[in-house]
């Protein structure tokens, strides 16, 4: 009767088990530090330009959207606050994560997927290397280090983008008021959820990418399938978790 | 008395719990044996050798390696026994991101305390054996299919394993390259004296293994004498839908009247 639930439940179990093994391996020798540095470069440095672009435009469009609503209430002075809060709480983490999911969940899934179908992962085990330690843990760690940093960057650039729309372009407020307003409005609660979210998303992106890669079957076609699935599944979970985390923080 | 290297007792495997990919397979290999596993694509040959290496877990049955019951081994336990087995993977399994030298050195550097420097002479020797001494700094993507297969053979054999498993060493190769690979495997068998299992879908491969040996003096393949012990120790298995449908020597294989089995014998055209 509940057969349709069997496959998602199994996948979820596999996900939890992979998450556990990858996390435990963080404190176990040997450390594949070199692999981690390479991944940080691929994920972090590789995503820099596009993070800056997306951050800038999401801040700018936020200020633009709010300008009309705020002027109706004669509250255009609050534009800094609104931009900062929406960016730090929601837009920065989610947009950066979606972007990195698109770039790197797919990248990880296709890389590990091709390794799976060419039996490199089997060869690794046969030759005495734990693929979770060698492939999954470095990617997870690299993602956990870089995604929060990318998010902070996106937040900052976004607030600058909002500034450019609010002050030089639309003259909604003064430079000083914008920055004062933006800075003062951010509370401990905002910063906490703004940093917790990218950490959770980093887990989701890295592990979904790895899981779908490692589970790949069916040759090169299978690699394509795994790649698409990884991006879709990671994106959906990002939205589900941003809701859950926000739900918790709203009550605090 | 010869010692048992690999033993399967009624080993079965099912991925989805319904269809059996491997159905009650029993076999035994003793030290010095050559086993030729024939069968069409998708009949469970790869699955069978992966179970022998602990890369897949059987659903039921008993597996014994070098006299030890490994059926319920954990991954760390497998790590202690796998160095005694060398495997050539059907899809190559060479690491894309490593050079040929690093690939062949991997089993030595990763499993023993050997440094890359110390491993180098053995790596060079193994690569020279497969006539690829000049490719040390190349990457697998720069080599042809036949060359990659030979690197795979070098990597499987470099650590002097007691059991060598060759998964479809000639699949997807032209006949000339395929015969060259088989000659190398015969040479490897002669020199290392390892127990070997060869998976193939070509009857010629089995015929070569069963009838030829490498003569280290003349450095050439030669026909084995009729009473050669090597000939006695070469056996054939034919797999069909996860089951062993034939087991025996080449003469028995040739004599089989079963239409599926005789597809893999030298004299198939007669029937
Ligand atoms: N990881 C897997 N998951 C599900 N089915 C598999 C898996 N690996 C192999 N199979 C199935 O097992 C059967 C035997 O495969 P295999 O041993 O690779 O055949 P071959 O004899 O060509 O080497 C095939 O039907 C294949 O689809
Ligand atoms: Mg196969």
């Amino acid at each position: 009767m509940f057969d349709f639930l069997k496959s998602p439940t199994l996948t979820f179990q596999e996900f939890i088990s992979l998450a556990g093994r990858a996390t435990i391996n963080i404190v176990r020798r040997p450390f594949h530090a070199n692999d981690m540095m390479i991944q940080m470069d691929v994920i972090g440095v590789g995503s820099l330009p596009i993070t800056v672009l997306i951050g800038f435009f999401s801040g700018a469009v936020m200020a633009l959207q709010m300008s009309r609503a705020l002027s109706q209430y004669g509250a255009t002075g609050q534009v800094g606050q609104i931009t900062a809060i929406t960016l730090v709480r929601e837009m920065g983490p989610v947009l950066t994560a979606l972007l990195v999911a698109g770039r790197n969940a797919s990248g990880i899934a296709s890389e590990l997927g091709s390794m799976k179908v060419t039996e490199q992962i089997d060869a690794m085990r046969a030759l005495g290397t734990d693929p979770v330690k060698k492939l999954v843990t470095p990617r997870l760690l690299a993602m956990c280090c870089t995604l929060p940093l990318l998010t902070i960057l996106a937040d900052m650039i976004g607030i600058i983008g909002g500034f450019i729309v609010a002050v030089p372009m639309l003259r909604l407020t003064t430079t000083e008021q914008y920055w004062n307003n933006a800075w003062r409005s951010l509370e401990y609660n905002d910063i906490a959820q703004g940093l917790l979210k990218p950490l959770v998303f980093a887990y989701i992106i890295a592990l979904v990418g790895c899981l779908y890669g490692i589970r790949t079957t069916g040759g090169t076609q299978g690699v394509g399938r795994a790649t698409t699935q990884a991006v879709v599944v990671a994106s959906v979970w990002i939205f589900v978790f941003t809701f859950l985390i926000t739900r918790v923080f709203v009550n605090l | 008395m010869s010692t048992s290297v690999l033993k399967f007792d009624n080993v079965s495997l099912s991925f989805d719990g319904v269809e059996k990919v491997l159905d009650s397979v029993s076999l035994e290999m003793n030290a010095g044996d050559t086993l030729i596993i024939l069968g069409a694509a998708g009949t469970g040959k790869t699955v069978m050798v992966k179970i022998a290496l602990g890369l897949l877990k059987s659903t039921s049955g008993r597996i014994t390696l070098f006299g030890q019951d490994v059926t319920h081994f954990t991954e760390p336990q497998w790590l202690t026994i796998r160095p005694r087995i060398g495997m050539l993977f059907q899809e190559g399994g060479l690491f894309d991101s490593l050079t040929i030298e690093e690939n062949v050195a991997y089993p030595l550097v990763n499993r023993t305390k050997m440094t890359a420097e110390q491993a180098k002479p053995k790596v060079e020797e193994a690569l020279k054996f497969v006539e690829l001494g000049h490719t040390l700094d190349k990457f697998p993507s720069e080599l042809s299919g036949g060359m990659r297969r030979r690197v795979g053979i070098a990597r499987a054999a470099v650590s002097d394993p007691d059991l060598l498993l060759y998964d479809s060493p000639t699949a997807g190769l032209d006949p000339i390259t395929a015969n060259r690979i088989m000659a190398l495997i015969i040479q490897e068998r002669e020199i290392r004296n390892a127990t070997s299992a060869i998976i193939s879908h070509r009857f010629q491969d089995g015929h070569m293994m069963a009838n030829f040996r490498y003569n280290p003096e003349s450095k050439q393949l030669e026909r084995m004498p009729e009473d050669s012990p090597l000939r006695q120790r070469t056996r054939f298995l034919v797999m069909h839908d996860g089951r062993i449908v034939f087991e025996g020597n080449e003469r028995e294989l040739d004599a089989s009247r079963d239409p599926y089995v005789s597809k893999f014998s030298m004299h198939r055209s007669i029937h």
Side-chain angles (χ1 to χ4, degrees):
Chain A
M1 196 161 77
F2 292 109
D3 267 3
F4 66 98
L5 283 177
K6 207 168 147 193
S7 149
T9 310
L10 280 178
T11 307
F12 189 69
Q13 271 176 8
E14 278 180 61
F15 180 88
I16 297 296
S17 134
L18 185 68
R21 282 165 67 199
T23 308
I24 288 171
N25 279 336
I26 294 175
V27 294
R28 281 206 193 137
R29 297 184 155 275
F31 302 116
H32 295 284
N34 202 20
D35 292 288
M36 185 180 144
M37 296 311 281
I38 292 171
Q39 289 306 317
M40 283 177 72
D41 185 50
V42 171
I43 299 164
V45 181
S47 304
L48 266 182
I50 192 147
T51 305
V52 169
L53 265 176
I54 293 250
F56 180 85
F57 282 106
S58 56
V61 85
M62 212 55 224
L64 212 50
Q65 287 282 9
M66 287 303 149
S67 64
R68 233 178 72 197
L70 288 172
S71 59
Q72 273 177 358
Y73 300 107
T76 50
Q78 306 297 313
V79 63
Q81 176 177 358
I82 294 218
T83 313
I85 288 183
T86 43
L87 272 172
V88 170
R89 279 192 194 164
E90 202 60 61
M91 299 267 278
V94 170
L95 286 181
T96 312
L98 285 178
L99 191 97
V100 172
R103 274 191 88 241
N104 299 103
S106 57
I108 292 171
S110 66
E111 191 184 356
L112 267 54
S114 352
M115 293 184 75
K116 175 70 192 306
V117 300
T118 54
E119 293 182 310
Q120 289 179 58
I121 292 184
D122 281 320
M124 219 171 245
R125 286 174 65 200
L127 300 178
T129 301
D130 175 3
V132 174
K133 196 175 285 179
K134 170 87 179 159
L135 300 173
V136 182
T137 301
R139 281 166 178 75
L140 177 64
L141 272 177
M143 192 63 85
C144 286
C145 293
T146 48
L147 193 60
L149 291 177
L150 286 172
T151 303
I152 292 171
L153 181 75
D155 292 347
M156 289 194 323
I157 303 278
I159 295 174
I160 294 173
F163 168 77
I164 287 173
V165 166
V167 183
M169 250 178 82
L170 298 179
R171 305 201 180 283
L172 296 175
T173 177
T174 64
T175 304
E176 197 170 300
Q177 202 185 4
Y178 180 90
W179 288 111
N180 261 332
N181 204 290
W183 181 247
R184 291 233 191 93
S185 63
L186 292 177
E187 289 172 12
Y188 173 74
N189 180 310
D190 304 315
I191 309 277
Q193 68 171 301
L195 288 178
L196 178 66
K197 280 179 181 176
L199 213 55
V200 172
F201 298 160
Y203 252 79
I204 293 172
I205 297 169
L207 291 174
V208 167
C210 288
L211 181 66
Y212 280 81
I214 286 182
R215 291 199 324 170
T216 305
T217 51
T220 33
Q221 266 188 324
V223 177
R225 227 174 10 245
T227 308
T228 318
Q229 279 178 340
V231 177
V232 172
V233 170
S235 306
V236 169
W237 281 111
I238 286 169
F239 279 110
V240 171
F241 269 87
T242 192
F243 174 79
L244 294 177
I245 295 170
T246 308
R247 180 77 190 77
V248 169
F249 273 86
V250 160
N251 284 350
L252 287 182
Chain B
M1 229 214 84
S2 50
T3 49
S4 169
V5 171
L6 171 67
K7 193 158 180 267
F8 273 29
D9 288 307
N10 292 311
V11 174
S12 297
L13 173 68
S14 164
F15 286 105
D16 55 9
V18 185
E19 204 182 338
K20 282 188 172 171
V21 168
L22 218 57
D23 192 357
S24 290
V25 166
S26 297
L27 61 89
E28 178 155 27
M29 287 179 78
N30 292 322
D33 282 1
T34 302
L35 189 65
I36 294 140
I37 303 162
L38 299 161
T43 49
K45 307 182 297 294
T46 298
V47 163
M48 189 162 94
V49 289
K50 281 193 180 166
I51 288 178
L53 203 53
L55 299 176
L56 288 173
K57 279 236 174 305
S58 62
T59 351
S60 64
R62 215 163 71 103
I63 301 130
T64 317
L65 266 173
F66 308 109
Q68 273 185 78
D69 186 343
V70 299
T71 317
H72 301 292
F73 261 29
T74 59
E75 188 74 9
Q77 285 176 304
W78 272 108
L79 288 184
T80 62
I81 206 162
R82 281 192 198 128
R84 299 185 66 183
I85 309 169
M87 167 122 178
L88 170 73
F89 287 89
Q90 180 169 11
E91 304 296 337
L94 298 180
F95 302 126
D96 290 330
S97 55
L98 302 182
T99 62
I100 299 305
E101 179 184 351
E102 288 164 338
N103 260 293
V104 179
Y106 200 93
L108 299 173
V109 174
N110 198 46
R111 289 196 293 223
T112 59
K113 291 260 178 277
M114 230 182 243
T115 63
E117 281 301 304
Q118 291 164 326
K120 191 152 180 155
K122 282 203 85 167
V123 172
E124 279 175 341
E125 186 201 311
L127 277 170
K128 213 157 140 199
F129 181 81
V130 296
E131 298 160 43
L132 285 174
H134 55 288
T135 60
L136 260 68
D137 296 323
K138 288 210 159 67
F139 285 91
S141 56
E142 296 172 89
L143 303 186
S144 71
M147 284 159 103
R148 280 205 294 272
R149 232 19 100 63
R150 283 188 272 153
V151 175
I153 293 176
R155 184 174 73 177
V158 72
S159 55
D160 266 318
D162 301 313
L163 172 62
L164 271 163
L165 307 171
Y166 300 96
D167 190 357
S168 312
T170 59
L173 299 179
D174 59 89
I176 296 170
T177 315
N179 284 342
R180 190 148 166 225
I181 300 270
M182 288 316 295
L184 277 174
I185 291 175
I186 290 171
Q187 214 172 322
E188 198 78 68
R189 166 175 75 178
E190 189 78 32
I191 287 169
R192 306 220 185 235
N193 221 349
T195 315
S196 19
I198 299 105
I199 292 177
S200 179
H201 61 282
R202 296 195 332 153
F203 64 91
Q204 299 98 317
D205 296 346
H207 179 73
M208 266 180 93
M209 290 301 291
N211 292 284
F212 289 87
R213 70 175 283 261
Y214 176 73
N215 185 336
E217 273 100 61
S218 68
K219 294 200 186 325
Q220 267 174 346
L221 292 194
E222 61 182 29
R223 199 164 247 289
M224 283 185 219
E226 278 308 314
D227 57 350
S228 159
L230 215 50
R231 199 182 269 274
Q232 317 286 318
R233 318 203 66 168
T234 305
R235 282 177 304 128
F236 291 77
L237 286 186
V238 179
M239 307 264 313
H240 189 34
D241 288 342
R243 269 171 300 128
I244 296 177
V245 291
F246 170 88
E247 183 169 10
N249 62 25
E250 194 185 27
R251 195 168 301 133
E252 287 157 351
L253 180 68
D254 279 344
S256 172
R257 299 238 151 228
D258 183 289
Y260 179 79
V261 172
S262 58
K263 272 189 207 146
F264 300 100
S265 72
M266 267 309 258
H267 302 136
R268 59 183 177 152
S269 48
I270 297 170
H271 299 306

